[in-house]
Amino acid sequence: MTDLDLVVADKQTAADGVALLTLRRADGGELPAWEPGAHVDLVLGADLVRQYSLCGDPADRSGWQVAVLREQSGRGGSAHVHDVLAVGDTVAARGPRNHFPLLPSASYVFVAGGIGITPILPMLAAAQAAGADWRLVYGGRTRGSMAFTELAERYPGRVEIRPQDETGLLDLAGIIGAAADRPVYCCGPEGLLGAVEKECAERGLAVHLERFTPKDGVLDGPRDAFEVELAGTGEVITVPADRSVLDVLEDAGVEVLSSCQEGTCGTCETGVLAGVPEHRDSLLTDEEQEAGDTMMICVSRSRSPRLVLDL
């Protein structure tokens, strides 16, 4: 995937600790099309690539908007955006890609926690434009830390703003219980996602999630050595128990795009032509994992002695 060199056209404070960036092409040309739920990789440095959900208007091909939360215990990406990146700077971008699409429905329930509101924003506009019946419950630590709270005025009667210091924790049992048969879309911290997933499973409701961090325990488990065969060349490479497929391929000079190295972004998704992958990502659905025809090579391993990869 070719990098796009984009210029930071605008940088604003969207909430306490949240920076809103507008990115445009230097030549003023159109950016690639995208749909609600999509994210892009921003290449902030040689070894600093981070994923951010697009939160603007998909119909506006002149610019992309991303909102970045300053992570106090982060790995440097958000600090770079907040403290270093300035209007006029150039940043490389990859994508967009979408593992969190909004599927057609007559009605929806949206649940957002903190910065998890970002992929939900364009979904609300799309649901409204389609004439769907929908509801958003948006929680955060404090009102000042919550970006885009003007949604309540934009969509009166459909949006509930729930700062924890004012209203307590979200009543997920009540929210999900009232969903009836409506699909639930949720993005936010892992505690929220896990709780929503559990509530939906108990009620047999369809749930669609996007994670910023790995599922609890998903990266655990035994690690055995196995082989990978590259379909394009026939080369066979051994993956030791203490290394990832991605690491071994990079050492062998095989160029594979990667980013999060946690199984959450989808950048390194690779086709599987033979063998049975052991999925340790936090991105593919249960059905996609069961199909076994693709895997995230940054974290996933193999249940069979050999995997044949579409590389």
Side-chain angles (χ1 to χ4, degrees), residues 5-41:
D5 289 328
L6 304 182
V7 174
V8 180
D10 190 38
K11 181 179 181 180
Q12 301 179 20
T13 298
D16 296 342
V18 179
L20 178 64
L21 304 180
T22 300
L23 307 170
R24 304 189 190 277
R25 286 181 49 161
D27 62 5
E30 285 193 339
L31 290 166
W34 61 281
E35 295 183 349
H39 69 265
V40 293
D41 299 341

Side-chain angles (χ1 to χ4, degrees), residues 56-141:
D57 179 3
D60 182 3
R61 301 279 296 276
S62 70
W64 285 340
Q65 285 192 319
V66 297
V68 181
L69 172 68
R70 180 189 287 276
E71 298 280 1
Q72 299 302 331
S73 58
R75 296 175 294 157
S78 66
H80 182 93
V81 170
H82 279 260
D83 300 336
V84 178
L85 206 60
V87 172
D89 287 350
T90 298
V91 60
R94 298 173 186 154
R97 60 175 60 85
N98 197 345
H99 290 277
F100 188 42
L102 182 69
L103 303 180
S105 177
S107 58
Y108 302 92
V109 171
F110 299 102
V111 182
I115 199 64
I117 188 63
T118 52
I120 301 293
L121 277 176
M123 293 185 177
L124 304 182
Q128 185 77 2
D133 179 27
W134 62 270
R135 173 194 184 196
L136 166 68
V137 182
Y138 175 22
R141 295 187 307 278

